[in-house]
Amino acid sequence: MKASNTYKNYIGGQWVESKSGATTENRNPANTDEVVGVFQKSTAEDVQAAIDAAAEAYKKWRLVPAPKRGEILYNVAARLVAEKERCAREMTREMGKIIDETRGDVQEAIDMTFYMAGEGRRLFGVTTPSELANKFNMTVRQPLGVCSFITPWNFPMAIPAWKIMPALVCGNTVVIKPATDTPLSVANLMKVMEEEGVPPGVVNMVTGSGGALGDSLIGDDRVRVVSFTGSTEVGRKVSMACAPKFKHSCLEMGGKNVQIVMDDADLGLAVEGALWGAFGTTGQRCTATSRIVCHHDVVDKFISMLAKRAESLNVGNGLEESVQMGPCINQGQLDTVLNYIEIGKKESARLVTGGEKLTGGAYDKGFFVKPTIFAEVTRDMRIWKEEIFGPVLSVTTCSNLDEAIELANDTIYGLSASIYTRDVNKAYTAMRDVYTGIFYVNAPTIGAETHLPFGGVKETGNGHREAATAALDVFSEWKSVYVDFSGALQRAQIDTE
Ligand code: UN1
């Protein structure tokens, strides 16, 4: 896997260097003096080798009985349980989020892997009566072939697991290109899979940039499924690259998630929800709370309670258990966040708290920014409309539920939303009328569970879902099977009338 802290690609069951001979450093965003690992700067040729391996392995893997495939996944999950703390610590070093959250990230990978291991004994189709006598009808799932995955840095092990495990249990093989900022977590996952009996070539990892490798990951005719999590801008390109050959593309993209706070809400609860939703994972979740729509009767109280809590957050190196918020992932993301803060100020939103980089001492070695809240945000402002992917929250007001729902839906995105209210009628109305893929009542916009479908509407997704059995629909296609045991030619009903 590595010499000192140099990590190789994983192709056909071997740890191999890139043909380029070039590498890149992966540094800790909380302390850029610390090199977490050195990774291969791969080329199209490396991707080709990985697809060759995956295509070859597919011939046998698709025929391994699904319960057996599930059993291997079960062993992977059990091993991840044993490796959880080490993987979490390494993830905090490469990604910056706090240790409790990286434990959660590994746990999410574990949950998904156990869940999909169980699917090995289900993968249910249906049997259904035939319109003809002595004929039997059923549906079975069939795998598609090689799947290419382009995964993000914010959930460095969970999201790769969301994609890999359902793909494998259905009988596909995989080439994954982890985010350039977080290859170590995927290398850790590969190592566990190698050691727990996933056969050579069934999963392959190639590290490097999406810009350099994207075309070859998607373009090869043998790749039948592409699953991508990242920006809407890149997702659109992935979708277009998949279109000529009608490859399945499963896209999880941008969000501008909203929390509604009604005047009858438990304000303390709504404040804690907003704090966790907006500043958990430094606001770097697709599901992060980016907008608050608060009833004007309670907005002043809500903002002052929330600002107080935001100011009390301990920001720092996520390996220290007392730290509550880590750094941004890299310089580029920090610059984006600071740029949006400037935009918010210029647009005349009211900066309530935060709004600047944290400096001095250890802060100077990382990409730290203060939790930031803007109030009096209006719907024409860029901070209201655009995904920031950082700890910046925009608050606006409403005077009733209809207006709250209208504002909630005022976005090109549709991943997650929530409402805080004690009125069951309001909760159900919002649940029905806020147009998103995920909805919460009296809970933050983050915190999806692995056995429910995950994904969004509008420009957040392209109609597919990850997680739950919905993921199986991405990684398999239905085959309808008719077995005629009459011994005679029976024409279908439509052909006999
Ligand atoms: C993401 O936001 O990129 O729902 C994934 C959640 C997590 C997964 C988030 N279970 O917050």
Side-chain angles (χ1 to χ4, degrees), residues 89-160:
R89 298 192 83 77
E90 293 191 355
M91 192 187 293
T92 292
R93 286 176 58 223
E94 77 166 344
M95 191 274 172
K97 66 184 171 183
I98 62 172
I99 184 70
D100 261 353
E101 292 184 17
T102 52
R103 287 178 188 130
D105 192 309
V106 179
Q107 186 59 46
E108 191 152 340
I110 292 167
D111 294 343
M112 184 59 79
T113 308
F114 275 131
Y115 182 87
M116 289 299 163
E119 272 309 311
R121 288 190 180 269
R122 290 187 292 268
L123 286 180
F124 293 139
V126 297
T127 61
T128 182
S130 169
E131 60 195 29
L132 298 174
N134 300 321
K135 198 175 172 198
F136 185 89
N137 295 350
M138 63 188 157
T139 61
V140 292
R141 288 186 184 274
Q142 55 188 334
L144 286 102
V146 179
C147 307
S148 280
F149 298 154
I150 302 169
T151 53
W153 45 261
N154 66 336
F155 275 80
M157 190 181 278
I159 291 181

Side-chain angles (χ1 to χ4, degrees), residues 444-463:
T445 62
I446 64 177
E449 302 176 26
T450 51
H451 54 296
L452 277 77
F454 183 96
V457 299
K458 299 198 270 186
E459 294 192 30
T460 294
N462 64 338

Side-chain angles (χ1 to χ4, degrees), residues 244-433:
K245 293 282 183 179
F246 308 105
K247 298 178 184 201
H248 283 204
S249 62
C250 174
L251 308 171
E252 293 299 343
M253 303 173 285
K256 195 70 187 172
N257 311 297
V258 67
Q259 176 180 315
I260 297 171
V261 182
M262 296 311 294
D263 49 348
D264 62 4
D266 176 336
L267 268 201
L269 191 65
V271 164
E272 289 309 309
L275 189 82
W276 174 228
F279 305 127
T281 322
T282 320
Q284 301 175 122
R285 292 197 193 198
C286 318
T287 48
T289 308
S290 186
R291 300 180 298 150
I292 297 277
V293 174
C294 185
H295 195 283
H296 58 54
D297 285 355
V298 292
V299 73
D300 289 343
K301 190 160 180 217
F302 176 79
I303 288 177
S304 84
M305 285 166 77
L306 182 61
K308 208 164 153 211
R309 290 289 283 123
E311 283 155 15
S312 77
L313 286 178
N314 180 8
V315 182
N317 187 324
L319 279 183
E320 291 163 28
E321 300 271 354
S322 62
V323 164
Q324 294 161 300
M325 189 179 104
C328 297
I329 183 71
N330 56 33
Q331 185 68 52
Q333 199 55 36
L334 175 65
D335 291 346
T336 301
V337 168
L338 294 174
N339 187 38
Y340 272 108
I341 288 169
E342 284 318 303
I343 290 169
K345 287 183 196 163
K346 281 203 193 98
E347 288 176 321
S348 313
R350 180 166 65 85
L351 180 65
V352 176
T353 185
E356 57 191 8
K357 190 175 172 342
L358 280 155
T359 53
Y363 285 140
D364 291 335
K365 300 213 181 253
F367 308 117
F368 296 97
V369 64
K370 288 186 181 170
T372 298
I373 302 171
F374 280 107
E376 291 156 38
V377 174
T378 54
R379 55 203 296 174
D380 54 309
M381 293 182 186
R382 284 182 64 192
I383 57 168
W384 171 260
K385 291 193 263 198
E386 295 173 22
E387 181 171 50
I388 300 172
F389 227 66
V392 180
L393 183 63
S394 295
V395 183
T396 197
T397 57
C398 65
S399 45
N400 56 44
L401 183 66
D402 285 349
E403 196 188 350
I405 292 170
E406 219 264 308
L407 284 161
N409 285 334
D410 178 35
T411 169
I412 60 167
Y413 300 114
L415 182 56
S416 180
S418 89
I419 186 167
Y420 281 77
T421 177
R422 288 184 171 111
D423 182 333
V424 69
N425 297 350
K426 288 193 175 112
Y428 270 82
T429 304
M431 180 201 75
R432 185 191 60 199
D433 293 343

Side-chain angles (χ1 to χ4, degrees), residues 9-14 16-19 42-57 146 174-175 200-206 216-217 220 222:
N9 287 333
Y10 183 57
I11 298 177
Q14 306 291 319
V16 292
E17 284 175 5
S18 164
K19 299 269 194 330
S42 307
T43 63
E45 218 184 328
D46 301 314
V47 171
Q48 186 73 37
I51 296 173
D52 287 347
E56 188 56 33
V146 179
V174 164
V175 176
V202 169
V203 279
N204 305 273
M205 176 192 77
V206 180
S216 37
L217 280 161
D220 192 297
R222 293 167 296 174

